[in-house]
């Protein structure tokens, strides 16, 4: 497997070097760490949010209706929808409509992390409306580069999105470069943090073919190099009594155990939750217990979580949690700041535990580091949209490759974003394989 990782990484870096990247969005936002490089890794043009043509429009400061009015009022100006400090995840329908209906509206792919969104836009004839941008040095440019480099797109389309669409907007000539073979992620990955969703799940953006059905997942697993995936049905987080994860175990059987599930504990109904866990935890297809304090509106150190830890001890099953930093735009995240887990980690040192998302943001990261260093039974996964410049480097330095697992948060997040950040980091191939696979095998499967 190590040889496959090495070969794929070399091919990936060669592809990134060959693509004619031209960055349309260099950010002035302050990076989460003060020791990160501020060098932009590709050619770029610095655009303004206030004037000029083309012109950036920050989605978090300018609503889509306002942007539409701007496009109508100034048809000669090319407007580029750009992310702020919140991901462009929940806006797929609005973005698609605007770039389809207005010839002078484009989308920068930085922080646009919907699963397969660039492929779907391209299939809808909108490849020419996508522009590579990185938000560097605020974000790690690799999260956006990987979407293009590993995209299910022909070479010309990759080159157009990487920079030639932007060059045409600027009145420059496209850059023609020799083609590269399509990248194939080798079968070495275990995704330790995934989700399914079906028609009964309340979702905040359109999703396609991500129900707990192996036929809907096997091609995705192959494409993303996943020989394993551990998932929580999103509807179970909302209502574990009606939709326990074990009801979805057929996907595990159909995959011959490559796919396995987490059962959910809801602290609002401790007795019922324990009774549900007692049915699921003996199942070898159940890898552990998922908790989500923000979704359940309960602080992670609340007394209602005590039965969870007792049950995890009885069945010798790990707990995986959503963890995050305090958020000005999502007040519920305060329930799962990593420091709130100290109480039970101290009281139950025998229970294996995972900080999903590794604190989620730069302000949650040092709290996660503190907890992981203090409690030897803990690990973290790097799932989600923690695309900040410096995250991977600091995780490797402050946590170490033996205690980090690859996770994606798919269906929420496109796996290529974090994959690119790992591939373009300074990590050794040996440590990369640990994170992509070995640590999850050891921690969840006792291999």
């Amino acid at each position: 497997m190590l040889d496959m990782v090495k070969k794929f990484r070399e091919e990936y870096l060669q592809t990134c070097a060959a693509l004619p990247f031209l960055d349309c969005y260099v950010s002035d936002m302050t990076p989460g760490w003060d020791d990160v490089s501020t060098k932009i890794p590709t050619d770029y043009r610095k655009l303004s949010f206030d004037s000029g043509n083309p012109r950036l429009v920050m989605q978090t400061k300018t609503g889509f209706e306002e942007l539409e009015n701007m496009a109508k009022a100034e048809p000669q100006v090319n407007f580029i929808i750009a992310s702020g400090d919140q991901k462009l995840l929940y806006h797929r329908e609005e973005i698609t409509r605007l770039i389809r209906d207005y010839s002078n509206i484009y989308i920068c792919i930085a922080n646009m992390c919907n699963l397969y969104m660039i492929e779907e836009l391209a299939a809808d004839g909108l490849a020419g409306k996508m522009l590579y941008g990185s938000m560097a040095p605020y974000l790690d440019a690799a999260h956006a580069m990987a979407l293009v480099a590993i995209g299910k797109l022909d070479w010309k389309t990759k080159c157009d999105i990487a920079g030639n669409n932007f060059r045409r907007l600027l009145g420059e000539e496209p850059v023609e470069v020799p083609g590269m073979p399509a990248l194939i992620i080798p079968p070495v990955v275990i995704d330790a943090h995934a989700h399914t969703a079906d028609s009964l799940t309340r979702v905040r953006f359109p999703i396609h073919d991500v129900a707990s059905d192996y036929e809907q997942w096997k091609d995705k697993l192959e494409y993303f190099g996943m020989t394993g995936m551990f998932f929580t049905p999103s509807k179970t987080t909302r209502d574990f009594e009606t939709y326990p994860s074990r009801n979805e175990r057929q996907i595990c059987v159909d995959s011959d155990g490559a796919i396995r599930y987490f059962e959910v504990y809801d602290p609002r109904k401790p007795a019922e939750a324990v009774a549900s866990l007692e049915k699921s935890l003996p199942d070898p297809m159940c890898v552990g217990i998922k908790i989500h304090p923000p979704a359940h509106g309960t602080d992670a150190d609340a007394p209602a979580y005590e039965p969870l830890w007792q049950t995890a001890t009885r069945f010798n099953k790990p707990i995986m949690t959503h963890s995050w930093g305090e958020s000005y735009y999502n007040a519920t995240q305060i329930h799962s700041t990593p420091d709130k887990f100290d109480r039970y980690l101290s009281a139950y040192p025998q229970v294996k535990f995972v900080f999903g998302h590794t604190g989620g943001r730069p302000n949650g990261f040092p709290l996660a580091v503190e907890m992981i260093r203090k409690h030897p039974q803990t690990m973290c996964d790097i799932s989600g949209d923690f695309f900040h410049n410096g995250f991977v480097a600091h995780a490797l330095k402050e946590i170490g490759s033996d205690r980090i697992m690859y996770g994606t948060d798919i269906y929420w997040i496109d796996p290529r974003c974090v994959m690119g950040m790992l591939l373009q980091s300074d990590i050794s191939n040996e440590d990369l394989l640990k994170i992509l696979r070995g640590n999850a095998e050891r921690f969840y499967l006792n291999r």
Side-chain angles (χ1 to χ4, degrees), residues 59-255:
Q59 186 274 327
T60 50
K61 294 183 178 180
T62 304
F64 290 115
E65 183 177 353
E66 183 180 354
L67 170 59
E68 189 170 6
N69 291 334
M70 292 164 58
K72 291 177 181 177
E74 298 183 82
Q76 76 282 4
V77 175
N78 292 303
F79 296 96
I80 303 171
I81 302 170
S83 173
D85 61 351
Q86 301 172 41
K87 55 187 172 288
L88 286 171
L89 179 69
Y90 308 115
H91 319 292
R92 173 179 265 169
E93 291 179 322
E94 293 95 333
I95 288 170
T96 301
R97 182 182 67 84
L98 288 173
I99 66 173
R100 180 191 64 222
D101 293 352
Y102 291 87
S103 61
N104 61 332
I105 298 181
Y106 294 76
I107 178 67
C108 169
I109 68 169
N111 222 7
M112 188 184 77
C113 50
N114 298 77
L115 176 64
Y116 288 151
M117 185 161 177
I118 64 169
E119 284 87 357
E120 291 183 1
L121 290 176
D124 287 342
L126 297 170
K129 304 302 287 291
M130 288 185 279
L131 310 177
Y132 166 75
S134 68
M135 293 185 70
Y138 175 68
L139 296 185
D140 186 329
H143 88 276
M145 295 176 74
L147 290 173
V148 182
I150 314 177
K152 287 185 176 182
L153 305 164
D154 62 74
W155 183 252
K156 180 182 182 302
T157 300
K158 289 185 179 185
C159 291
D160 285 344
I161 297 172
N164 286 339
N165 289 337
F166 186 33
R167 290 183 175 91
R168 294 185 184 99
L169 275 186
L170 296 170
E172 301 177 10
E173 288 296 314
V175 173
E176 303 297 333
V177 296
M180 296 286 287
L183 291 170
I184 300 175
I185 303 174
V188 299
V189 176
I190 292 177
D191 184 350
H193 189 142
H195 296 277
T196 59
D198 57 28
S199 60
L200 299 176
T201 307
R202 287 204 302 263
V203 295
R204 297 172 63 185
F205 53 91
I207 53 173
H208 312 287
D209 299 326
V210 292
S212 300
D213 177 349
Y214 185 53
E215 290 301 313
Q216 295 186 21
W217 280 94
K218 62 181 181 180
D219 288 343
K220 297 181 185 67
L221 266 61
E222 181 179 0
Y223 175 66
F224 293 118
M226 295 176 185
T227 65
M229 183 182 83
F230 307 150
F231 77 100
T232 308
S234 289
K235 63 185 179 183
T236 306
T237 304
R238 174 168 55 90
D239 183 356
F240 77 94
E241 290 183 290
T242 307
Y243 310 111
S245 295
R246 62 182 173 274
N247 284 1
E248 311 294 318
R249 78 181 303 277
Q250 188 60 44
I251 187 177
C252 306
V253 175
D254 293 343
S255 71

Side-chain angles (χ1 to χ4, degrees), residues 21-29 31 36-47 108 110 132-145 162 166 389 424:
F21 282 111
L22 182 64
D23 196 331
C24 74
Y25 185 12
V26 175
S27 176
D28 291 327
M29 289 189 283
V36 299
S37 172
T38 58
K39 182 180 179 181
I40 310 304
T42 68
D43 290 340
Y44 67 93
R45 303 286 188 272
K46 189 68 180 290
L47 301 181
C108 169
Y132 166 75
S134 68
M135 293 185 70
Y138 175 68
L139 296 185
D140 186 329
H143 88 276
M145 295 176 74
F166 186 33
N389 186 16
Q424 291 178 245

Side-chain angles (χ1 to χ4, degrees), residues 311-344:
T311 305
T313 299
R314 277 198 289 132
F315 287 91
N316 191 28
K317 287 282 189 174
I319 300 170
M320 187 265 281
T321 187
H322 172 98
S323 68
W324 215 261
E326 187 173 353
S327 171
Y328 76 89
Y329 57 86
N330 184 353
T332 67
Q333 300 288 12
I334 195 66
H335 296 304
S336 63
T337 56
D339 55 306
K340 285 189 167 66
F341 297 92
D342 187 48
R343 171 185 176 181
Y344 288 117

